[in-house]
Amino acid sequence: MRHFPIFLNVVERRVVVSGAGECAVSKLRLLLKTDANIVVIGADPVPQIRRWAKEGRLALIERRIEPADVAGAALVYGANDDEEEDARAAGIGRQAGALVNIVDNLNHSDFITPAIVDRDPVTVAIGTEGAAPVLARKIKADLEARLPASLGLLARIGQSFRHKAAMLPMGRKRRDFWSRYYSGEGDAALKEGGEHGAQAKLEELLTDSIETRPRDGHVSLIGTGPGDPELLTVKARRLIHEADVVLHDRLVPDAIIELARREAIIVEVGKTGYGPSWKQEDINALLVEHAANGAQVARLKSGDPGIFGRLDEELDALDEANISWDIVPGITAAAAAAASSGLSLTKRGRNSSIRFMTGRDVEGFAEHDWRDLAKSGSGAAIYMGVKAAAFLRGRLLIHGADAQTPVTIVENASRANQKTVSTTILALPDALAEAGITGPAVLLYGMAPRKALAVAAGVSPENIAEQAGAV
């Protein structure tokens, strides 16, 4: 992030615009929405700027900018549409200690003016670091359509009620009060009864909040999917945003964690295969501690919490502490891996069942019914199988698996850095090493990509094509 977004208080502060032509007009349309004292300095002003000056909306000085003009200024704009004069104005502004913006000159500006959606006092600022102004305008148009014109009035009514709402304790109880008002009840009252109706609704909500005892702590165990934030469920997004505390696995990406409120407590409780990890009993204790103190906790698990997520251990701890919980399913890595490889997890004539397996458990490499898996008609999604690859190959071949049984390896399923490798059970360890697969990865045993999406590792291109057609 090159430009840090802030909202600058410009009430009664001097903002100077050097330039009085059409280049300045577009900036002034936005600046005139503020409570700043705006001064425009430039020879031969265009008619629009003269009209604004005549209406008393800005002060107009018809000459070049001089150092005395920017004394005490908060912001100085260079809008002369002249590179040399803009540079001179910028130098004068910086010498006076003001922040400087040169129109259409990102590299020589101290700040940029974002695209703005104005629902005063609600303001949405949109910036693209100067990389895509057209995109910023598109986002602005989308938000303009989505945010009703009444939003500003709703916020102003709420603002006038803040002194009364202050009798509610800080934290969850007060947030719940405002959430009810801004999540639909206030807008419905405004549409039905105008300002008086919205004010009456606030009084009603306040009374209800005072009389209602605080909510007990609660834990939501949320599957965040394989990594693509767009695969997150709507319910998961809402619960993450509402949470007081967010405890997340190491594999949950920043783009999902950032959905949490800034005020939320966020703790990574990561586990690393064969590396330093949080102990499960410590995670359980942390869940209980926060919920017992009344917090709404979002426990974020990669994929689906019920697929090798040690879900039952956390539920047992919560039940023992008499803490309520709910489970929000997520897309498991196997489903994402199959979808991104252009195949289904089951297929008539190929495999009549699919197993979800782990390559290792708490005691080391996991044992399964290898003979049943090796026979025709079986397929498997194998989690945590990268380091167990040689073990898996040995067990399957010993129990009669065809050495040429296809295996699709998908690393970082659904993410931008996803890697897909097509190989066979015989070549599996070598294929993993050659492709540099370190995980997280899922092995789809008995399945090959529909299309040649894979990196050929341990199998010739001809064999990949044959397998894709055969299975």
Side-chain angles (χ1 to χ4, degrees):
M1 184 188 298
R2 178 176 176 182
H3 292 89
F4 181 69
I6 61 172
F7 286 85
L8 182 68
N9 185 355
V10 293
V11 175
E12 299 298 325
R13 298 189 68 182
R14 189 178 181 88
V15 175
V16 177
V17 178
S18 174
E22 292 297 337
C23 183
V25 169
S26 61
K27 295 298 179 186
L28 287 166
R29 291 189 192 281
L30 182 58
L31 289 170
L32 287 170
K33 293 177 178 286
T34 73
D35 295 319
N37 293 327
I38 300 170
V39 180
V40 177
I41 305 171
D44 194 23
V46 296
Q48 180 62 71
I49 291 179
R50 289 189 181 279
R51 282 195 293 272
W52 283 330
K54 187 176 180 179
E55 294 168 358
R57 301 182 66 187
L58 54 80
L60 177 61
I61 302 174
E62 297 187 44
R63 56 168 172 76
R64 296 175 74 197
I65 191 171
E66 300 296 339
D69 298 324
V70 299
L75 305 174
V76 172
Y77 282 85
N80 295 280
D81 204 16
D82 179 285
E83 186 175 332
E84 185 175 332
E85 184 61 19
D86 281 339
R88 192 179 79 87
I92 291 172
R94 291 194 177 100
Q95 187 67 31
L99 294 172
V100 171
N101 174 274
I102 302 175
V103 176
D104 293 333
N105 189 334
L106 179 70
N107 292 329
H108 292 90
S109 294
D110 300 324
F111 70 96
I112 56 177
T113 304
I116 287 179
V117 178
D118 183 13
R119 297 290 187 270
D120 186 34
V122 178
T123 305
V124 182
I126 305 151
T128 62
E129 301 280 22
V134 172
L135 175 60
R137 288 194 292 272
K138 179 184 183 303
I139 296 171
K140 170 181 165 66
D142 290 345
L143 289 174
E144 290 278 8
R146 292 179 60 185
L147 299 179
S150 61
L151 185 62
L153 176 57
L154 192 69
R156 287 193 294 275
I157 295 170
Q159 184 179 32
S160 68
F161 199 80
R162 290 184 69 85
H163 68 287
K164 288 190 176 183
M167 68 176 63
L168 294 172
M170 288 287 291
R172 167 62 57 180
K173 199 172 187 70
R174 195 181 297 185
R175 284 200 305 274
D176 286 347
F177 164 78
W178 287 116
S179 179
R180 289 182 62 184
Y181 174 68
Y182 286 117
S183 296
E185 294 190 45
D187 187 53
L190 180 64
K191 290 176 180 176
E192 183 177 343
E195 292 188 43
H196 177 74
Q199 290 165 351
K201 174 56 69 173
L202 283 167
E203 295 284 358
E204 176 189 326
L205 293 176
L206 181 60
T207 300
D208 188 47
S209 297
I210 292 172
E211 295 176 351
T212 303
R213 72 177 184 86
R215 276 202 286 171
D216 292 332
H218 181 84
V219 176
S220 293
L221 299 108
I222 300 169
T224 61
D228 182 351
E230 292 187 355
L231 295 179
L232 198 64
T233 65
V234 174
K235 183 175 183 179
R237 283 179 175 271
R238 177 179 60 80
L239 291 173
I240 294 170
H241 176 70
E242 292 177 354
D244 303 306
V245 177
V246 176
L247 308 182
H248 66 91
D249 286 347
R250 179 179 59 87
L251 294 177
V252 177
D254 290 343
I256 290 177
I257 297 167
E258 288 171 2
L259 296 172
R261 295 178 301 107
R262 285 182 300 172
E263 299 85 359
I265 297 171
I266 299 176
V267 183
E268 179 187 320
V269 289
K271 292 180 180 293
T272 303
Y274 303 98
S277 302
W278 271 67
K279 294 180 179 178
Q280 185 61 51
E281 53 264 33
D282 292 336
I283 297 174
N284 297 347
L286 197 59
L287 285 170
V288 170
E289 176 187 347
H290 284 296
N293 289 328
Q296 306 301 302
V297 182
R299 171 67 171 107
L300 308 187
K301 292 175 172 287
S302 180
D304 182 90
I307 304 290
F308 304 118
R310 301 188 73 169
L311 175 65
D312 289 287
E313 296 172 57
E314 296 181 9
L315 294 181
D316 288 343
L318 295 172
D319 284 341
E320 185 176 345
N322 199 29
I323 290 169
S324 65
W325 49 264
D326 67 320
I327 300 170
V328 181
I331 293 176
T332 189
S340 63
S341 302
L343 52 85
S344 61
L345 289 172
T346 61
K347 181 180 178 181
R348 183 177 299 177
R350 183 191 68 191
N351 63 305
S352 57
S353 63
I354 183 74
R355 304 181 187 198
F356 292 93
M357 303 169 54
T358 178
R360 59 185 177 86
D361 56 25
V362 293
E363 297 179 355
F365 295 147
E367 289 289 358
H368 300 281
D369 186 347
W370 303 111
R371 186 178 304 279
D372 190 59
L373 179 61
K375 70 183 183 181
S376 176
S378 297
I382 305 173
Y383 294 69
M384 296 171 279
V386 174
K387 293 185 182 296
F391 171 81
L392 294 169
R393 177 182 64 178
R395 284 292 191 270
L396 285 164
L397 292 178
I398 287 173
H399 288 86
D402 186 335
Q404 296 304 309
T405 300
V407 179
T408 297
I409 309 157
V410 183
E411 180 184 44
N412 295 314
S414 85
R415 303 188 185 211
N417 60 341
Q418 175 177 314
K419 183 185 293 185
T420 303
V421 178
S422 183
T423 186
T424 64
I425 190 60
L426 178 64
L428 178 60
D430 293 336
L432 287 164
E434 182 180 334
I437 301 293
T438 58
V442 61
L443 314 180
L444 301 178
Y445 172 77
M447 289 165 266
R450 174 182 289 273
K451 298 180 180 178
L453 303 174
V455 175
V459 190
S460 69
E462 293 79 8
N463 283 340
I464 293 175
E466 289 174 7
Q467 290 169 11
V471 299

